[in-house]
Amino acid sequence: MNAQAGICAEPNLHALYLMFNRVGDRAELVRRLAKVPTLWQSVSADFPDAGFTGLLAVGSEAWDSLYPLARPPQFRGFMAQEANGQQAPHTPFDLFVQLRADRVDVLHHAGQRLMALLGGLVELAEEMRGFRNQDCRDLTGFVDGTENPQGEHRAEVALVDGGEFAGGSYLHVQRWVHAMSEWERLALKEQEDIIGRTKQDNIEYASADKPLTSHIKRVNLKTPKGESMEILRQSMPWGTMKEQGLYFISCCRTQAHFNAMLASMYKGESGHFDHLLRFTRAVTGAAFFAPSTDFLQRQGQ
């Protein structure tokens, strides 16, 4: 299996996120998408100091039109949520591209090359830039991705193992907008109770001390067999002087883990929803599959 490097990449300083919708010929687009892995390689070779990785994923609604002969077995649309006055909308896109590097100029060059490759076949629907905030903290001030798998375990969590889609990954992407002024009015202990961790030194509360409405309580879930439901987060903060938040990206070998977490955040147990939702809202939500480079290149032949 030859997974796209961007799926399990270690954190970078900068990111460029691009959402596309198809407007041109299907067969020609499939041929051009087959060239994307080579494009990633060329950018890496041209800028070896940048730590560049690229990732291309196909939307659940677009998959059958692009690759009608085979579909990843668990691939379903984004499961929108609505409860307790909060919403996680479903906003489908045909293609998602994540570009990551330690140099902003390299991201610009990579994006320009991709736009040239796909020119006339897609339209750009969303463009966002992500950045590392301090020591990998969300703009709320708390360390993000603390529960992420490390080392070789990243691939075990993120990549499909075996079958035609080996090396691929199920992605869920959401753009969250934080209500920063309201969040910053909270006392430190109030913020920590909402997250379930201390803010400065990132120490998780003891299980008995976590409120049922804390974020960690709502997303640290187990399967019926008692195994942890893990995902690999590739999220980064984004922002302007008017709006800011988190560009959330979940990579996993199954869609089930993210779907369970999202439902737990909004509906919880006995009405105990995630109180972080009082201070942030999802404005987009889409499900994608990032196939292996081998799959992309085979389909383009």
Side-chain angles (χ1 to χ4, degrees):
M1 78 182 167
N2 192 5
Q4 296 185 60
I7 297 172
C8 295
E10 297 292 341
N12 289 94
L13 297 179
H14 309 283
L16 175 59
Y17 304 116
L18 305 172
M19 294 288 191
F20 295 100
N21 289 319
R22 179 167 68 92
V23 295
D25 178 71
R26 169 258 169 202
E28 181 59 27
L29 179 56
V30 170
R31 284 192 289 269
R32 301 274 187 92
L33 294 178
K35 299 179 181 180
V36 168
T38 302
L39 188 155
W40 301 157
Q41 293 171 2
S42 69
V43 174
S44 295
D46 289 345
F47 304 99
D49 65 327
F52 171 82
T53 61
L55 168 62
L56 167 71
V58 180
S60 58
E61 288 76 12
W63 182 276
D64 290 345
S65 63
L66 292 176
Y67 304 111
L69 299 182
R71 185 180 179 91
Q74 298 184 28
F75 204 13
R76 303 291 184 274
F78 187 89
M79 294 184 64
Q81 302 289 327
E82 183 171 3
N84 302 297
Q86 313 287 344
Q87 292 183 340
H90 175 206
T91 57
F93 299 96
D94 291 347
L95 300 172
F96 168 63
V97 171
Q98 170 191 274
L99 306 175
R100 297 250 302 256
D102 293 333
R103 289 173 48 181
V104 173
D105 60 332
V106 173
L107 295 181
H108 184 79
H109 286 298
Q112 287 289 294
R113 293 185 192 183
L114 181 69
M115 295 292 289
L117 175 64
L118 303 182
L121 299 173
V122 298
E123 61 179 4
L124 183 62
E126 179 174 272
E127 174 182 353
M128 301 298 299
R129 295 183 180 270
F131 58 90
R132 182 188 295 181
N133 177 43
Q134 303 176 42
D135 52 341
C136 293
R137 291 178 184 263
D138 178 49
L139 295 178
T140 58
F142 287 80
V143 175
D144 186 51
T146 299
E147 299 294 328
N148 257 359
Q150 302 299 316
E152 294 181 357
H153 191 46
R154 293 168 76 86
E156 294 172 357
V157 169
L159 301 179
V160 174
D161 183 18
E164 182 177 7
F165 296 100
S169 187
Y170 295 96
L171 269 63
H172 291 89
V173 182
Q174 294 175 287
R175 183 162 62 88
W176 292 81
V177 178
H178 295 344
M180 290 302 302
S181 60
E182 297 176 30
W183 175 259
E184 290 170 350
R185 283 198 291 267
L186 296 177
L188 175 61
K189 185 61 166 62
E190 290 180 290
Q191 293 182 354
E192 292 179 334
D193 286 349
I194 288 171
I195 299 297
R197 288 183 181 275
T198 60
K199 189 172 187 178
Q200 182 61 36
D201 46 14
N202 191 35
I203 297 174
E204 185 172 336
Y205 282 16
S207 181
D209 296 333
K210 291 176 191 168
L212 292 176
T213 55
S214 69
H215 180 64
I216 290 178
K217 192 74 171 181
R218 298 271 48 88
V219 299
N220 284 3
L221 307 178
K222 294 187 180 297
T223 69
K225 295 181 179 180
E227 300 169 342
S228 293
M229 289 188 178
E230 295 182 275
I231 60 174
L232 175 59
R233 295 166 175 84
Q234 291 288 14
S235 314
M236 293 184 82
W238 67 275
T240 67
M241 295 304 100
K242 295 180 65 176
E243 264 192 339
Q244 55 272 313
L246 183 71
Y247 210 91
F248 176 86
I249 302 169
S250 163
C251 306
C252 193
R253 66 183 186 274
T254 171
Q255 286 193 308
H257 293 182
F258 171 82
N259 287 338
M261 292 177 189
L262 194 66
S264 177
M265 287 176 63
Y266 281 83
K267 298 172 183 176
E269 52 183 306
S270 304
H272 295 294
F273 70 94
D274 187 342
H275 278 196
L276 183 59
L277 296 176
R278 294 163 49 202
F279 303 94
T280 188
R281 60 187 175 89
V283 295
T284 65
F288 300 90
F289 188 79
S292 69
T293 58
D294 293 338
F295 179 91
L296 288 170
Q297 291 169 343
R298 283 199 311 270
Q299 299 300 313
Q301 294 175 355

